[in-house]
């Protein structure tokens, strides 16, 4: 297995054990690939949920640009819900896991079709 496969397995483990959901491995793989090289960078691979600027980046670059959603309060609410599900005290919130949960939340799996 390659490094990406190891990371996908780690993300799947987080989804199962920290978020209480059974991951759709095909979708998780596509979301991970969509994150590009950031998954290999210690800082870029995680979401700093306590930083407003970071959450704004998730909203603008992922929810609006990638998933094609319109800006609004529901985007901020969804991000907050995902962070809550992952666990606010969880230090490493992997970007691919957060993006996966947001994709599922908005039913936008077709973006990765």
């Amino acid at each position: 297995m390659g490094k990406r496969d190891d990371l996908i397995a780690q993300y799947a483990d987080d989804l199962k054990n920290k978020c209480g959901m059974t991951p759709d491995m095909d979708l998780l793989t596509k979301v991970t690939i969509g994150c590009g090289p950031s998954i290999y960078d210690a800082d870029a691979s995680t979401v700093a949920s306590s930083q407003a600027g970071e959450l704004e980046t998730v909203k603008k670059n992922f929810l609006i640009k990638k998933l094609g959603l319109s800006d609004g309060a529901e985007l901020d609410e969804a991000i907050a819900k995902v962070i809550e599900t992952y666990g606010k005290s969880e230090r490493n919130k992997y970007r691919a896991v957060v993006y996966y949960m947001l994709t599922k939340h908005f039913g936008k799996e077709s973006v990765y079709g």
Side-chain angles (χ1 to χ4, degrees), residues 2-12 28 32 39-40 94:
K3 188 157 171 58
R4 185 173 70 201
D5 292 330
D6 293 342
L7 289 169
I8 291 169
Q10 186 175 6
Y11 302 154
L28 180 58
T32 302
I39 62 170
Y40 304 111
Y94 292 105

Side-chain angles (χ1 to χ4, degrees), residues 11 23 39 59 61 80 109:
Y11 302 154
I39 62 170
K59 182 166 82 170
N61 293 349
E109 294 89 342

Side-chain angles (χ1 to χ4, degrees), residues 1-91:
M1 280 192 358
K3 188 157 171 58
R4 185 173 70 201
D5 292 330
D6 293 342
L7 289 169
I8 291 169
Q10 186 175 6
Y11 302 154
D13 185 66
D14 269 20
L15 283 163
K16 283 182 205 146
N17 299 315
K18 295 177 182 171
C19 306
M21 50 180 64
T22 304
D24 169 342
M25 292 307 291
D26 187 46
L27 179 63
L28 180 58
T29 300
K30 289 175 180 173
V31 170
T32 302
I33 291 168
C35 289
S38 70
I39 62 170
Y40 304 111
D41 180 277
D43 186 48
S45 68
T46 58
V47 173
S49 60
S50 59
Q51 296 176 3
E54 175 80 358
L55 299 179
E56 191 63 26
T57 299
V58 168
K59 182 166 82 170
K60 282 193 173 117
N61 293 349
F62 184 70
L63 295 177
I64 297 171
K65 285 183 184 169
K66 178 75 180 169
L67 298 186
L69 299 167
S70 300
D71 196 357
E74 68 278 358
L75 300 188
D76 295 314
E77 289 163 14
I79 292 170
K81 184 178 177 214
V82 163
I83 299 301
E84 188 70 42
T85 300
Y86 211 143
K88 284 190 176 175
S89 61
E90 183 56 46
R91 201 170 153 274

